[in-house]
Amino acid sequence: MPADTKVGSVSRARYDALVGEDRKLVLDETKIQFKIGDDALEIKPMRPHGGSLPATGEEPFEGQQRLEMFADDIGVSYNQVRTYRQTASRWPREHRAQGVSFDIHRILEKLDDRFEKIADPLPHRPYRRRPRLPGPPPLRVGQPLRHRHPAQRQRPAHRPRVLGPRRRPPPPLTTPTPPQAVTLK
């Protein structure tokens, strides 16, 4: 793609600069999310699987209250802190991949082989235009059609010309009969 090509309303060079800046922001965001998760783990460590009962010397539901207080104090929701804590617990610092977003870590956290998957990621393929398919080029606005319009096509004999709700035929026209005189006895 030539350097003077526009991407949206900006030049290609400006677009590349914006992408570089925003990639750095995504990496910073990932660091922030893991830091909040690590801090939440320090405040309330994860229990072993199936640990619904409080640990020894711990009040029931005390951990949730501490995490809610932590979330309120730093200005994020409790559910965000809980998600960051869960992901940080599944990804020890030595296995976190640099340059990979927090959301990818969160998605992969459920896999048993997540450390191998993150170490050998699929190659990133930038968006490329699909090659044109063989055949006639696509139509442009105002270009005449090369085939008959659907209204000009032959209809099967069993299909009515006008589709829509069926209507009853009107009753036949008859001349009204005058009312009969009633005689009283």
Side-chain angles (χ1 to χ4, degrees):
M1 188 182 281
D4 61 343
T5 307
K6 293 190 102 161
V7 178
S9 298
V10 297
S11 67
R12 182 65 186 188
R14 176 66 180 144
Y15 175 79
D16 291 338
L18 291 172
V19 168
E21 291 170 11
D22 291 344
R23 282 188 179 166
K24 289 177 186 174
L25 290 174
V26 169
L27 293 177
D28 291 344
E29 181 184 22
T30 298
K31 290 176 188 174
I32 291 167
Q33 290 167 326
F34 271 121
K35 175 69 172 121
I36 292 172
D38 290 337
D39 293 346
L41 275 172
E42 189 175 339
I43 292 169
K44 175 68 177 120
M46 296 294 284
R47 292 185 185 148
H49 183 70
S52 60
L53 297 175
T56 56
E58 182 181 280
E59 294 289 323
F61 306 110
E62 187 177 299
Q64 181 176 346
Q65 291 171 352
R66 288 180 184 169
L67 288 178
E68 286 174 348
M69 183 177 72
F70 176 63
D72 288 340
D73 290 343
I74 63 172
V76 297
S77 72
Y78 167 71
N79 286 333
Q80 281 181 302
V81 170
R82 198 177 70 188
T83 301
Y84 298 162
R85 176 175 165 256
Q86 171 67 31
T87 303
S89 73
R90 300 287 289 162
W91 288 95
R93 283 188 176 91
E94 63 271 8
H95 291 291
R96 296 175 189 168
Q98 295 297 321
V100 179
S101 74
F102 183 84
D103 290 330
I104 299 298
H105 284 88
R106 184 178 50 78
I107 291 167
L108 294 178
E109 79 182 26
K110 296 164 185 67
L111 301 177
D112 291 332
D113 60 343
R114 62 188 175 276
F115 303 131
E116 292 82 31
K117 295 243 188 242
I118 203 86
D120 188 26
L122 294 173
H124 172 68
R125 286 180 256 135
Y127 173 77
R128 282 187 239 131
R129 296 183 85 178
R130 288 185 290 157
R132 267 198 15 81
L133 298 174
L139 295 177
R140 304 215 184 269
V141 176
Q143 189 175 0
L145 297 172
R146 294 193 179 119
H147 56 81
R148 286 208 228 152
H149 192 272
Q152 297 171 340
R153 291 188 184 149
Q154 200 91 27
R155 283 191 185 83
H158 66 278
R159 297 218 24 203
R161 181 168 276 288
V162 179
L163 297 177
R166 292 186 170 242
R167 295 186 178 146
R168 290 186 191 167
L173 294 175
T174 58
T175 56
T177 57
Q180 297 287 333
V182 179
T183 58
L184 292 173
K185 292 186 185 179

